[in-house]
Amino acid sequence: MTRVAVVKRVGGRAVALETTLLVHGVPTSESMGLASRLCGVVRASGADPAVVGVVRGVPTVGMTDAELRSMLDAGDVPKANTANLGVLMHRGLDAATTVSATMELAAAAAVMWFATGGLGGVHRGYGEHLDVSSDLGAFTRFPVAVVTSGVKSILDVESTREALETLGVTVVGFRTDRFPAFYRRSSEAGVDARFDDERELAAFVRGEIARTGRGIVVANPIPQEHEIDETDWGRWLGEAEQRAIEAGASGRGVTPAVLGALHEVSGGATLRANLALVEANARLAGRLAVS
Ligand code: PSU
Ligand code: MN
């Protein structure tokens, strides 16, 4: 049960968008442009975009452009998941919310649709320790449908899929039978069910969330024309991981470090793919929200 009081500035057909993706997932020069394209895409579907984050300690569903701008200008913004969200609020700080924290705040504001790029998941293990994102457990607690291109192949995709299964989280595929791997349309892993029709998918998700009070993963593969070649991907990932290890990334710093290195070693190709798939997810979430 969610007891967070949030500032809510969004209409009835809301689609949540997360700030960690905007602040830590893409270069800062891209953040405002991406935010405005995502909001535009959601509006074009007839739904209402709501950028979610913590503004000077206040959990906010529907941040203004000025609030996002000042978060970006501040630099070095903390990344909030469900574990440290309350501490950052208590201290009155700005924070970018990950999938798990965004789900918590969206649920508190009765927003059930959320579009992102990729979920966090089970890391491949750079260090000696287990590193599993709080995103996975959030689906067992918050009644929010997250439209995502699966999990990035910087993670252990198949283990992440198994972890969702262990937690009893429903994973449905939109026009796919496979669990997508972000830059790639498919992986070794499957989904619980495939839906080809948007209206049927929207009806199922609404009914399921009402029935269970838990979240659902809606997997939407990257558009075909933006999928990254498998050989390129393997080479880039190897180099990016090496750079992240050399930079000494750990804990919450791992995902942003590997992403940043990837965008560099791929000459921007992974960034372009990333932007394209998030937009596609925002479009689908908008359509489902009004369906
Ligand atoms: N995947 C991406 N881009 C991102 C993230 C994931 O392709 O920016 C962000 C999301 O906010 C996700 C978070 O919730 O990383 C997961 O971080 P961690 O591994 O520290 O839980
Ligand atoms: Mn982690």
Side-chain angles (χ1 to χ4, degrees):
M1 231 263 258
T2 306
R3 296 186 193 81
V4 192
V6 299
V7 166
K8 182 180 181 182
R9 296 194 205 103
V10 68
R13 295 166 151 191
V15 173
L17 302 165
E18 53 145 320
T19 31
T20 293
L21 164 71
L22 297 171
V23 175
H24 300 288
V26 299
T28 310
S29 57
E30 296 288 332
S31 306
M32 283 311 287
L34 177 59
S36 86
R37 285 199 304 282
L38 295 178
C39 291
V41 158
V42 169
R43 278 193 201 101
S45 310
D48 306 312
V51 174
V52 176
V54 179
V55 180
R56 289 178 295 281
V58 179
T60 304
V61 175
M63 285 171 61
T64 63
D65 282 354
E67 286 168 343
L68 179 59
R69 176 82 270 164
S70 101
M71 182 181 280
L72 290 163
D73 288 345
D76 217 13
V77 183
K79 174 177 159 187
N81 62 32
T82 41
N84 60 340
L85 175 66
V87 174
L88 295 164
M89 285 164 48
H90 175 75
R91 303 221 157 126
L93 296 172
D94 273 2
T97 49
T98 63
V99 168
S100 69
T102 304
M103 287 177 77
E104 178 162 351
L105 300 184
V111 170
M112 69 166 281
W113 299 100
F114 169 17
T116 186
L119 302 178
V122 180
H123 280 266
R124 280 147 49 104
Y126 303 112
E128 297 139 52
H129 307 297
L130 183 70
D131 182 351
V132 180
S133 177
S134 63
D135 290 355
L136 303 182
F139 284 89
T140 67
R141 311 208 289 289
F142 308 118
V144 177
V146 183
V147 180
T148 168
S149 302
V151 295
K152 221 172 257 154
S153 343
I154 63 174
L155 302 173
D156 179 338
V157 179
E158 283 74 23
S159 296
T160 301
R161 180 67 188 88
E162 283 300 328
L164 286 165
E165 171 82 9
T166 302
L167 294 168
V169 176
T170 303
V171 178
V172 297
F174 180 62
R175 299 186 181 157
T176 184
D177 304 301
R178 313 308 308 160
F179 187 58
F182 205 81
Y183 304 114
R184 306 280 308 157
R185 289 177 57 83
S186 67
S187 70
E188 303 290 305
V191 295
D192 291 307
R194 168 183 179 134
F195 286 81
D196 289 288
D197 180 67
E198 279 173 11
R199 293 180 55 148
E200 189 199 351
L201 173 57
F204 170 74
V205 168
R206 281 179 215 286
E208 239 348 65
I209 286 183
R211 185 182 72 83
T212 64
R214 301 190 299 260
I216 291 194
V217 178
V218 177
N220 184 35
I222 183 171
Q224 198 109 48
E225 65 274 24
H226 294 289
E227 188 177 27
I228 285 179
D229 175 82
E230 202 162 5
T231 320
D232 286 341
W233 168 252
R235 207 179 56 227
W236 293 337
L237 178 61
E239 277 184 50
E241 285 180 334
Q242 200 50 46
R243 287 195 192 192
I245 293 165
E246 280 162 15
S250 69
R252 288 169 195 144
V254 170
T255 303
V258 180
L259 291 182
L262 260 178
H263 297 335
E264 277 177 31
V265 302
S266 71
T270 56
L271 176 60
R272 286 188 292 278
N274 199 334
L275 299 176
L277 66 83
V278 190
E279 283 187 43
N281 294 339
R283 184 169 301 113
L284 178 59
R287 294 172 66 101
L288 294 171
V290 300
S291 176

